[in-house]
mmCIF file of all heavy atoms in Angstrom:
data_model
loop_
_atom_site.group_PDB
_atom_site.id
_atom_site.type_symbol
_atom_site.label_atom_id
_atom_site.label_comp_id
_atom_site.label_asym_id
_atom_site.label_seq_id
_atom_site.Cartn_x
_atom_site.Cartn_y
_atom_site.Cartn_z
ATOM 1 N N GLU A 236 114.945 62.702 96.330
ATOM 2 C CA GLU A 236 114.292 61.394 96.226
ATOM 3 C C GLU A 236 113.678 61.159 94.856
ATOM 4 O O GLU A 236 113.372 60.024 94.502
ATOM 5 C CB GLU A 236 113.212 61.267 97.307
ATOM 6 C CG GLU A 236 113.757 61.134 98.720
ATOM 7 C CD GLU A 236 114.569 59.859 98.900
ATOM 8 O OE1 GLU A 236 113.976 58.769 98.817
ATOM 9 O OE2 GLU A 236 115.798 59.960 99.108
ATOM 10 N N THR A 237 113.481 62.215 94.057
ATOM 11 C CA THR A 237 112.924 62.016 92.709
ATOM 12 C C THR A 237 113.920 61.308 91.798
ATOM 13 O O THR A 237 113.530 60.685 90.805
ATOM 14 C CB THR A 237 112.530 63.358 92.066
ATOM 15 O OG1 THR A 237 113.702 64.161 91.845
ATOM 16 C CG2 THR A 237 111.540 64.122 92.940
ATOM 17 N N GLY A 238 115.212 61.419 92.116
ATOM 18 C CA GLY A 238 116.224 60.704 91.357
ATOM 19 C C GLY A 238 116.480 61.225 89.955
ATOM 20 O O GLY A 238 117.102 60.533 89.137
ATOM 21 N N THR A 239 116.040 62.429 89.647
ATOM 22 C CA THR A 239 116.326 62.984 88.319
ATOM 23 C C THR A 239 117.807 63.320 88.207
ATOM 24 O O THR A 239 118.532 63.404 89.212
ATOM 25 C CB THR A 239 115.496 64.248 88.063
ATOM 26 O OG1 THR A 239 115.917 65.277 88.970
ATOM 27 C CG2 THR A 239 114.006 63.990 88.254
ATOM 28 N N GLU A 240 118.256 63.543 86.990
ATOM 29 C CA GLU A 240 119.668 63.879 86.776
ATOM 30 C C GLU A 240 120.038 65.148 87.530
ATOM 31 O O GLU A 240 121.092 65.221 88.183
ATOM 32 C CB GLU A 240 119.937 64.051 85.282
ATOM 33 C CG GLU A 240 121.387 64.342 84.953
ATOM 34 C CD GLU A 240 121.637 64.483 83.455
ATOM 35 O OE1 GLU A 240 120.711 64.212 82.668
ATOM 36 O OE2 GLU A 240 122.757 64.874 83.074
ATOM 37 N N ASN A 241 119.186 66.160 87.459
ATOM 38 C CA ASN A 241 119.450 67.408 88.188
ATOM 39 C C ASN A 241 119.473 67.171 89.691
ATOM 40 O O ASN A 241 120.315 67.711 90.418
ATOM 41 C CB ASN A 241 118.389 68.455 87.853
ATOM 42 C CG ASN A 241 118.660 69.163 86.539
ATOM 43 O OD1 ASN A 241 119.545 68.762 85.790
ATOM 44 N ND2 ASN A 241 117.899 70.207 86.257
ATOM 45 N N ALA A 242 118.521 66.366 90.180
ATOM 46 C CA ALA A 242 118.419 66.121 91.622
ATOM 47 C C ALA A 242 119.679 65.434 92.147
ATOM 48 O O ALA A 242 120.231 65.817 93.196
ATOM 49 C CB ALA A 242 117.188 65.283 91.922
ATOM 50 N N LEU A 243 120.151 64.438 91.447
ATOM 51 C CA LEU A 243 121.338 63.708 91.893
ATOM 52 C C LEU A 243 122.587 64.571 91.814
ATOM 53 O O LEU A 243 123.467 64.494 92.685
ATOM 54 C CB LEU A 243 121.505 62.441 91.064
ATOM 55 C CG LEU A 243 120.382 61.403 91.227
ATOM 56 C CD1 LEU A 243 120.620 60.212 90.309
ATOM 57 C CD2 LEU A 243 120.252 60.953 92.682
ATOM 58 N N GLN A 244 122.683 65.406 90.794
ATOM 59 C CA GLN A 244 123.839 66.286 90.657
ATOM 60 C C GLN A 244 123.848 67.343 91.764
ATOM 61 O O GLN A 244 124.902 67.670 92.331
ATOM 62 C CB GLN A 244 123.820 66.949 89.281
ATOM 63 C CG GLN A 244 125.140 67.584 88.885
ATOM 64 C CD GLN A 244 125.200 67.901 87.394
ATOM 65 O OE1 GLN A 244 124.404 67.414 86.607
ATOM 66 N NE2 GLN A 244 126.167 68.738 87.009
ATOM 67 N N LEU A 245 122.659 67.862 92.100
ATOM 68 C CA LEU A 245 122.574 68.850 93.179
ATOM 69 C C LEU A 245 122.860 68.201 94.526
ATOM 70 O O LEU A 245 123.549 68.783 95.377
ATOM 71 C CB LEU A 245 121.191 69.504 93.180
ATOM 72 C CG LEU A 245 120.979 70.620 94.208
ATOM 73 C CD1 LEU A 245 121.947 71.770 93.954
ATOM 74 C CD2 LEU A 245 119.538 71.133 94.167
ATOM 75 N N GLN A 246 122.355 66.990 94.742
ATOM 76 C CA GLN A 246 122.617 66.286 95.992
ATOM 77 C C GLN A 246 124.116 66.075 96.199
ATOM 78 O O GLN A 246 124.629 66.207 97.322
ATOM 79 C CB GLN A 246 121.889 64.947 95.995
ATOM 80 C CG GLN A 246 122.030 64.178 97.301
ATOM 81 C CD GLN A 246 121.351 62.825 97.229
ATOM 82 O OE1 GLN A 246 121.375 62.159 96.191
ATOM 83 N NE2 GLN A 246 120.736 62.412 98.338
ATOM 84 N N GLU A 247 124.817 65.767 95.131
ATOM 85 C CA GLU A 247 126.267 65.579 95.223
ATOM 86 C C GLU A 247 126.954 66.833 95.745
ATOM 87 O O GLU A 247 127.895 66.758 96.563
ATOM 88 C CB GLU A 247 126.811 65.207 93.846
ATOM 89 C CG GLU A 247 128.304 64.927 93.812
ATOM 90 C CD GLU A 247 128.801 64.597 92.418
ATOM 91 O OE1 GLU A 247 127.973 64.338 91.527
ATOM 92 O OE2 GLU A 247 130.037 64.613 92.208
ATOM 93 N N ALA A 248 126.492 68.011 95.300
ATOM 94 C CA ALA A 248 127.087 69.267 95.770
ATOM 95 C C ALA A 248 126.840 69.462 97.263
ATOM 96 O O ALA A 248 127.745 69.884 98.008
ATOM 97 C CB ALA A 248 126.524 70.437 94.966
ATOM 98 N N PHE A 249 125.637 69.155 97.729
ATOM 99 C CA PHE A 249 125.331 69.319 99.155
ATOM 100 C C PHE A 249 126.102 68.318 100.013
ATOM 101 O O PHE A 249 126.537 68.644 101.129
ATOM 102 C CB PHE A 249 123.823 69.165 99.391
ATOM 103 C CG PHE A 249 123.034 70.425 99.151
ATOM 104 C CD1 PHE A 249 122.477 70.699 97.918
ATOM 105 C CD2 PHE A 249 122.847 71.347 100.172
ATOM 106 C CE1 PHE A 249 121.748 71.856 97.697
ATOM 107 C CE2 PHE A 249 122.115 72.510 99.966
ATOM 108 C CZ PHE A 249 121.565 72.775 98.716
ATOM 109 N N LEU A 250 126.271 67.089 99.518
ATOM 110 C CA LEU A 250 127.012 66.087 100.283
ATOM 111 C C LEU A 250 128.490 66.432 100.374
ATOM 112 O O LEU A 250 129.195 65.961 101.280
ATOM 113 C CB LEU A 250 126.836 64.706 99.641
ATOM 114 C CG LEU A 250 125.464 64.064 99.826
ATOM 115 C CD1 LEU A 250 125.323 62.840 98.932
ATOM 116 C CD2 LEU A 250 125.244 63.684 101.296
ATOM 117 N N ALA A 251 128.975 67.264 99.452
ATOM 118 C CA ALA A 251 130.398 67.630 99.450
ATOM 119 C C ALA A 251 130.699 68.828 100.347
ATOM 120 O O ALA A 251 131.861 69.261 100.423
ATOM 121 C CB ALA A 251 130.844 67.939 98.024
ATOM 122 N N ALA A 252 129.694 69.389 101.013
ATOM 123 C CA ALA A 252 129.911 70.560 101.877
ATOM 124 C C ALA A 252 130.987 70.238 102.923
ATOM 125 O O ALA A 252 130.916 69.212 103.619
ATOM 126 C CB ALA A 252 128.609 70.952 102.553
ATOM 127 N N ASP A 253 131.992 71.103 103.032
ATOM 128 C CA ASP A 253 133.173 70.779 103.840
ATOM 129 C C ASP A 253 133.250 71.605 105.124
ATOM 130 O O ASP A 253 134.254 72.242 105.407
ATOM 131 C CB ASP A 253 134.437 70.984 102.997
ATOM 132 C CG ASP A 253 134.474 72.383 102.349
ATOM 133 O OD1 ASP A 253 133.520 73.170 102.584
ATOM 134 O OD2 ASP A 253 135.446 72.679 101.633
ATOM 135 N N HIS A 254 132.193 71.634 105.908
ATOM 136 C CA HIS A 254 132.225 72.344 107.193
ATOM 137 C C HIS A 254 131.677 71.420 108.278
ATOM 138 O O HIS A 254 131.027 70.412 107.970
ATOM 139 C CB HIS A 254 131.388 73.630 107.116
ATOM 140 C CG HIS A 254 129.922 73.377 106.924
ATOM 141 N ND1 HIS A 254 129.362 73.189 105.678
ATOM 142 C CD2 HIS A 254 128.896 73.264 107.812
ATOM 143 C CE1 HIS A 254 128.064 72.983 105.800
ATOM 144 N NE2 HIS A 254 127.755 73.030 107.092
ATOM 145 N N ASP A 255 131.910 71.764 109.536
ATOM 146 C CA ASP A 255 131.464 70.895 110.633
ATOM 147 C C ASP A 255 130.884 71.726 111.786
ATOM 148 O O ASP A 255 131.339 71.643 112.914
ATOM 149 C CB ASP A 255 132.606 70.015 111.133
ATOM 150 C CG ASP A 255 133.761 70.843 111.702
ATOM 151 O OD1 ASP A 255 133.766 72.075 111.487
ATOM 152 O OD2 ASP A 255 134.639 70.269 112.365
ATOM 153 N N LEU A 256 129.871 72.510 111.480
ATOM 154 C CA LEU A 256 129.206 73.255 112.555
ATOM 155 C C LEU A 256 128.303 72.306 113.361
ATOM 156 O O LEU A 256 128.625 71.948 114.486
ATOM 157 C CB LEU A 256 128.412 74.421 111.969
ATOM 158 C CG LEU A 256 129.237 75.621 111.500
ATOM 159 C CD1 LEU A 256 128.362 76.659 110.810
ATOM 160 C CD2 LEU A 256 129.986 76.254 112.673
ATOM 161 N N LEU A 257 127.180 71.891 112.823
ATOM 162 C CA LEU A 257 126.323 70.927 113.504
ATOM 163 C C LEU A 257 126.949 69.534 113.439
ATOM 164 O O LEU A 257 127.436 69.109 112.382
ATOM 165 C CB LEU A 257 124.941 70.888 112.853
ATOM 166 C CG LEU A 257 123.978 72.009 113.211
ATOM 167 C CD1 LEU A 257 122.791 72.015 112.254
ATOM 168 C CD2 LEU A 257 123.495 71.894 114.657
ATOM 169 N N TYR A 258 126.933 68.845 114.541
ATOM 170 C CA TYR A 258 127.421 67.457 114.546
ATOM 171 C C TYR A 258 126.443 66.586 113.756
ATOM 172 O O TYR A 258 125.234 66.632 113.963
ATOM 173 C CB TYR A 258 127.526 66.950 115.980
ATOM 174 C CG TYR A 258 127.751 65.453 116.067
ATOM 175 C CD1 TYR A 258 129.017 64.921 115.826
ATOM 176 C CD2 TYR A 258 126.700 64.598 116.377
ATOM 177 C CE1 TYR A 258 129.230 63.553 115.897
ATOM 178 C CE2 TYR A 258 126.906 63.218 116.451
ATOM 179 C CZ TYR A 258 128.161 62.711 116.199
ATOM 180 O OH TYR A 258 128.372 61.350 116.266
ATOM 181 N N CYS A 259 126.999 65.775 112.839
ATOM 182 C CA CYS A 259 126.187 64.850 112.048
ATOM 183 C C CYS A 259 126.849 63.471 112.118
ATOM 184 O O CYS A 259 128.013 63.324 111.712
ATOM 185 C CB CYS A 259 126.100 65.310 110.592
ATOM 186 S SG CYS A 259 125.281 66.897 110.363
ATOM 187 N N PRO A 260 126.159 62.447 112.613
ATOM 188 C CA PRO A 260 126.766 61.130 112.805
ATOM 189 C C PRO A 260 126.813 60.272 111.544
ATOM 190 O O PRO A 260 127.223 59.107 111.604
ATOM 191 C CB PRO A 260 125.835 60.490 113.840
ATOM 192 C CG PRO A 260 124.501 61.088 113.538
ATOM 193 C CD PRO A 260 124.770 62.491 113.108
ATOM 194 N N ALA A 261 126.388 60.815 110.426
ATOM 195 C CA ALA A 261 126.343 60.068 109.167
ATOM 196 C C ALA A 261 126.524 61.067 108.031
ATOM 197 O O ALA A 261 126.500 62.288 108.252
ATOM 198 C CB ALA A 261 124.999 59.336 109.039
ATOM 199 N N PRO A 262 126.748 60.582 106.800
ATOM 200 C CA PRO A 262 126.845 61.525 105.675
ATOM 201 C C PRO A 262 125.650 62.465 105.661
ATOM 202 O O PRO A 262 124.513 62.069 105.917
ATOM 203 C CB PRO A 262 126.858 60.595 104.452
ATOM 204 C CG PRO A 262 127.428 59.317 104.970
ATOM 205 C CD PRO A 262 126.911 59.188 106.377
ATOM 206 N N ALA A 263 125.917 63.739 105.356
ATOM 207 C CA ALA A 263 124.857 64.747 105.432
ATOM 208 C C ALA A 263 124.953 65.722 104.267
ATOM 209 O O ALA A 263 126.051 66.114 103.862
ATOM 210 C CB ALA A 263 124.938 65.508 106.754
ATOM 211 N N ALA A 264 123.805 66.083 103.730
ATOM 212 C CA ALA A 264 123.710 67.164 102.743
ATOM 213 C C ALA A 264 123.525 68.442 103.542
ATOM 214 O O ALA A 264 122.506 68.613 104.227
ATOM 215 C CB ALA A 264 122.533 66.913 101.805
ATOM 216 N N LYS A 265 124.499 69.367 103.460
ATOM 217 C CA LYS A 265 124.534 70.484 104.408
ATOM 218 C C LYS A 265 124.686 71.830 103.693
ATOM 219 O O LYS A 265 125.154 71.912 102.569
ATOM 220 C CB LYS A 265 125.715 70.324 105.366
ATOM 221 C CG LYS A 265 125.730 69.042 106.167
ATOM 222 C CD LYS A 265 126.879 69.007 107.145
ATOM 223 C CE LYS A 265 128.218 68.824 106.450
ATOM 224 N NZ LYS A 265 129.346 68.691 107.413
ATOM 225 N N LYS A 266 124.285 72.864 104.409
ATOM 226 C CA LYS A 266 124.546 74.241 103.953
ATOM 227 C C LYS A 266 124.610 75.141 105.180
ATOM 228 O O LYS A 266 123.692 75.139 106.006
ATOM 229 C CB LYS A 266 123.445 74.730 103.008
ATOM 230 C CG LYS A 266 123.761 76.090 102.411
ATOM 231 C CD LYS A 266 124.901 76.000 101.413
ATOM 232 C CE LYS A 266 125.605 77.325 101.171
ATOM 233 N NZ LYS A 266 126.479 77.742 102.268
ATOM 234 N N TYR A 267 125.699 75.907 105.285
ATOM 235 C CA TYR A 267 125.843 76.814 106.425
ATOM 236 C C TYR A 267 125.706 78.256 105.959
ATOM 237 O O TYR A 267 125.709 78.573 104.760
ATOM 238 C CB TYR A 267 127.196 76.603 107.112
ATOM 239 C CG TYR A 267 128.355 77.268 106.401
ATOM 240 C CD1 TYR A 267 128.772 78.552 106.764
ATOM 241 C CD2 TYR A 267 129.037 76.624 105.365
ATOM 242 C CE1 TYR A 267 129.836 79.180 106.104
ATOM 243 C CE2 TYR A 267 130.099 77.236 104.721
ATOM 244 C CZ TYR A 267 130.488 78.513 105.089
ATOM 245 O OH TYR A 267 131.531 79.132 104.435
ATOM 246 N N GLY A 268 125.611 79.157 106.923
ATOM 247 C CA GLY A 268 125.628 80.592 106.670
ATOM 248 C C GLY A 268 126.359 81.277 107.807
ATOM 249 O O GLY A 268 126.133 80.953 108.975
ATOM 250 N N SER A 269 127.258 82.213 107.479
ATOM 251 C CA SER A 269 128.045 82.868 108.518
ATOM 252 C C SER A 269 128.284 84.323 108.146
ATOM 253 O O SER A 269 128.768 84.634 107.050
ATOM 254 C CB SER A 269 129.392 82.146 108.688
ATOM 255 O OG SER A 269 130.170 82.763 109.689
ATOM 256 N N TRP A 270 127.928 85.206 109.058
ATOM 257 C CA TRP A 270 128.166 86.643 108.891
ATOM 258 C C TRP A 270 127.976 87.302 110.238
ATOM 259 O O TRP A 270 127.753 86.612 111.254
ATOM 260 C CB TRP A 270 127.217 87.224 107.838
ATOM 261 C CG TRP A 270 127.617 88.597 107.350
ATOM 262 C CD1 TRP A 270 126.941 89.763 107.547
ATOM 263 C CD2 TRP A 270 128.782 88.937 106.598
ATOM 264 N NE1 TRP A 270 127.606 90.818 106.960
ATOM 265 C CE2 TRP A 270 128.753 90.333 106.360
ATOM 266 C CE3 TRP A 270 129.860 88.204 106.093
ATOM 267 C CZ2 TRP A 270 129.754 91.007 105.667
ATOM 268 C CZ3 TRP A 270 130.859 88.878 105.385
ATOM 269 C CH2 TRP A 270 130.788 90.257 105.174
ATOM 270 N N ASP A 271 128.092 88.598 110.282
ATOM 271 C CA ASP A 271 127.929 89.305 111.544
ATOM 272 C C ASP A 271 126.535 89.028 112.114
ATOM 273 O O ASP A 271 125.520 89.260 111.444
ATOM 274 C CB ASP A 271 128.122 90.811 111.315
ATOM 275 C CG ASP A 271 128.271 91.570 112.617
ATOM 276 O OD1 ASP A 271 128.773 90.984 113.594
ATOM 277 O OD2 ASP A 271 127.875 92.754 112.658
ATOM 278 N N GLN A 272 126.500 88.522 113.353
ATOM 279 C CA GLN A 272 125.262 88.166 114.051
ATOM 280 C C GLN A 272 124.448 87.105 113.299
ATOM 281 O O GLN A 272 123.219 87.056 113.409
ATOM 282 C CB GLN A 272 124.398 89.406 114.312
ATOM 283 C CG GLN A 272 125.063 90.408 115.246
ATOM 284 C CD GLN A 272 124.140 91.549 115.632
ATOM 285 O OE1 GLN A 272 123.215 91.907 114.905
ATOM 286 N NE2 GLN A 272 124.384 92.140 116.793
ATOM 287 N N ALA A 273 125.144 86.273 112.566
ATOM 288 C CA ALA A 273 124.473 85.176 111.863
ATOM 289 C C ALA A 273 125.422 83.989 111.773
ATOM 290 O O ALA A 273 126.432 84.050 111.067
ATOM 291 C CB ALA A 273 124.044 85.615 110.468
ATOM 292 N N LEU A 274 125.111 82.922 112.499
ATOM 293 C CA LEU A 274 125.855 81.666 112.395
ATOM 294 C C LEU A 274 124.812 80.553 112.328
ATOM 295 O O LEU A 274 124.158 80.235 113.329
ATOM 296 C CB LEU A 274 126.778 81.473 113.598
ATOM 297 C CG LEU A 274 127.670 80.219 113.530
ATOM 298 C CD1 LEU A 274 128.635 80.305 112.353
ATOM 299 C CD2 LEU A 274 128.433 80.019 114.843
#
Side-chain angles (χ1 to χ4, degrees):
E236 290 296 294
T237 65
T239 66
E240 182 179 352
N241 279 9
L243 295 177
Q244 195 165 345
L245 183 61
Q246 184 183 37
E247 182 181 347
F249 276 92
L250 287 169
D253 52 1
H254 66 274
D255 62 348
L256 285 174
L257 281 167
Y258 168 78
C259 297
K265 302 184 288 184
K266 186 70 201 75
Y267 79 93
S269 180
W270 195 247
D271 193 30
Q272 296 187 334
L274 184 63

